[in-house]
Amino acid sequence: MMTPVVAPDRPEKKSKSKKRVEKRKLSPAARRRSLTGWMFLLPAAVLIGVMMFWPMFQALILSFKTGRGSALDFADPLYFNYSRMLEDEIFKLTMQNTLLYLAIQVPIMLVTALVLANILNNPRLKFKGFWRTAIFLPAAISLVSYSLVFRTIFSNDGLVNDWLLALGFIDSPVNWLGDPTTARMVIILGLLWRWTGYNMIFYLAGLQNIDPTTIEAAKMDGAGTIRTFFSVTVPQLKPMILLTVIMSTNGTLQLFDESFNLTRGGPANTSMTMSHYLYEVSFVNNPNFGYGAALSYVILIMVAILAAIQMKVGDKRD
């Protein structure tokens, strides 16, 4: 006669399920603490919802409307404002300008900031505090003030033309802000001057958190300065590099101040950015809030896509 086989108990599974139930059952004191935490969070959450997400939702609805001023109706078809962008030559030009600034200015700025941070992190460098302050100082200056200073420096009778004439590099003053190529170049120079020191501070903070023994170990293994920098320093700075790339990309896609204050978008809109064009559409001449809202959502989608790509490519954490 065969003995019936009894299935063995699974104590591990039972114990895990018991632990889950025990975790769900909070003591009265823990519930009070949790409730207190939510009560502190609630005002901030309500404010964020009212001040940020509700206007975003309203802007989305507005992007489906057409009309001038406050006389707005839903467009027919609803996607009219978005399809209009495909035929809007000024929008295409401003998108090209913005992507040009992004492709040229961001890599130069971040590489320069990384090099400066390495130089200023050298313990044998003298007057480090002075150099760090001097390089960071442009980031503390008002955007409008520095734009006006750059506008004066690069005017026909400005400092740059005076120097170039005195050195014999040019025979007559250059109209820096009146030519599309040089106007874009002035905007890129302004961005580099202002934001390089700002990004340098992030890299400097990252460098000071690197364990010096890892660099000493690389040197003892025979690695040179460049090999140590790329194989030891840069990998440990990767989170900071990713952060600065995302912030710089987002900032450049939303660039407004330099385009508005330095060149007024000229000549003939050839240096205008997308955010500047959004302002012109929404608040200058005949305001078209519906089309402006649609433009803002295109910028938002571009920022989100580029940030997601950068996070996917750059963030390799387990």
Side-chain angles (χ1 to χ4, degrees):
M1 186 177 175
M2 292 182 67
T3 308
V5 179
V6 179
D9 292 335
R10 297 178 180 176
E12 290 183 1
K13 283 191 175 180
K14 283 184 178 178
S15 61
K16 283 181 182 177
S17 61
K18 277 183 180 179
K19 285 179 182 176
R20 284 174 190 162
V21 172
E22 286 171 0
K23 279 184 182 177
R24 287 174 189 168
K25 289 181 180 177
L26 296 174
S27 65
R31 283 181 187 170
R32 277 197 298 274
R33 283 197 297 272
S34 176
L35 189 61
T36 305
W38 281 109
M39 290 300 290
F40 276 109
L41 283 175
L42 189 61
V46 169
L47 279 176
I48 290 171
V50 172
M51 302 297 290
M52 292 187 67
F53 292 105
W54 180 247
M56 286 174 69
F57 177 68
Q58 288 293 323
L60 179 63
I61 294 174
L62 191 59
S63 70
F64 296 118
K65 293 183 176 180
T66 57
R68 300 286 177 181
S70 59
L72 298 172
D73 292 308
F74 280 103
D76 184 20
L78 275 179
Y79 55 83
F80 172 76
N81 285 327
Y82 293 94
S83 61
R84 177 183 166 183
M85 290 179 211
L86 300 175
E87 300 170 358
D88 187 345
E89 296 300 327
I90 300 178
F91 171 70
K92 291 177 186 175
L93 181 61
T94 57
M95 182 182 280
Q96 286 173 12
N97 291 335
T98 307
L99 293 177
L100 180 74
Y101 299 145
L102 178 68
I104 296 177
Q105 176 254 334
V106 171
I108 295 175
M109 178 183 67
L110 295 183
V111 170
T112 308
L114 190 56
V115 171
L116 287 173
N118 267 282
I119 294 171
L120 295 179
N121 195 44
N122 187 344
R124 288 175 291 182
L125 182 71
K126 293 183 179 178
F127 309 115
K128 281 190 290 188
F130 170 76
W131 297 118
R132 289 173 184 176
T133 306
I135 294 171
F136 177 74
L137 202 56
I141 295 175
S142 160
L143 281 165
V144 176
S145 302
Y146 107 82
S147 297
L148 292 175
V149 170
F150 262 69
R151 192 177 174 82
T152 306
I153 290 174
F154 284 94
S155 62
N156 284 352
D157 55 352
L159 193 63
V160 173
N161 275 332
D162 288 347
W163 281 356
L164 293 176
L165 284 168
L167 293 171
F169 289 116
I170 55 175
D171 298 324
S172 57
V174 177
N175 188 4
W176 297 99
L177 303 177
D179 179 80
T181 305
T182 51
R184 291 175 186 139
M185 187 192 76
V186 171
I187 287 181
I188 291 172
L189 282 175
L191 290 168
L192 290 172
W193 179 79
R194 189 170 198 277
W195 296 110
T196 301
Y198 179 80
N199 287 284
M200 180 204 73
I201 293 297
F202 285 94
Y203 293 143
L204 196 56
L207 286 169
Q208 290 177 352
N209 283 324
I210 291 178
D211 187 354
T213 58
T214 58
I215 295 174
E216 289 171 9
K219 289 179 179 175
M220 288 178 68
D221 288 342
T225 305
I226 296 175
R227 178 70 184 276
T228 303
F229 177 72
F230 284 104
S231 301
V232 179
T233 305
V234 170
Q236 295 187 73
L237 275 179
K238 205 171 179 181
M240 201 60 79
I241 293 171
L242 180 64
L243 172 71
T244 53
V245 168
I246 291 174
M247 287 198 310
S248 303
T249 302
N250 293 349
T252 307
L253 287 176
Q254 300 173 59
L255 187 65
F256 172 79
D257 300 87
E258 285 77 6
S259 170
F260 183 77
N261 293 309
L262 258 175
T263 64
R264 303 289 182 192
N269 304 323
T270 50
S271 64
M272 187 184 285
T273 60
M274 287 193 295
S275 293
H276 187 182
Y277 183 51
L278 164 60
Y279 169 80
E280 295 280 335
V281 167
S282 301
F283 301 108
V284 179
N285 300 324
N286 294 318
N288 189 337
F289 296 123
Y291 190 48
L295 288 171
S296 71
Y297 260 89
V298 169
I299 296 173
L300 173 68
I301 291 167
M302 288 177 68
V303 169
I305 290 173
L306 284 176
I309 292 172
Q310 289 162 353
M311 288 290 290
K312 186 71 178 176
V313 172
D315 191 1
K316 299 292 184 186
R317 289 176 298 181
D318 294 331

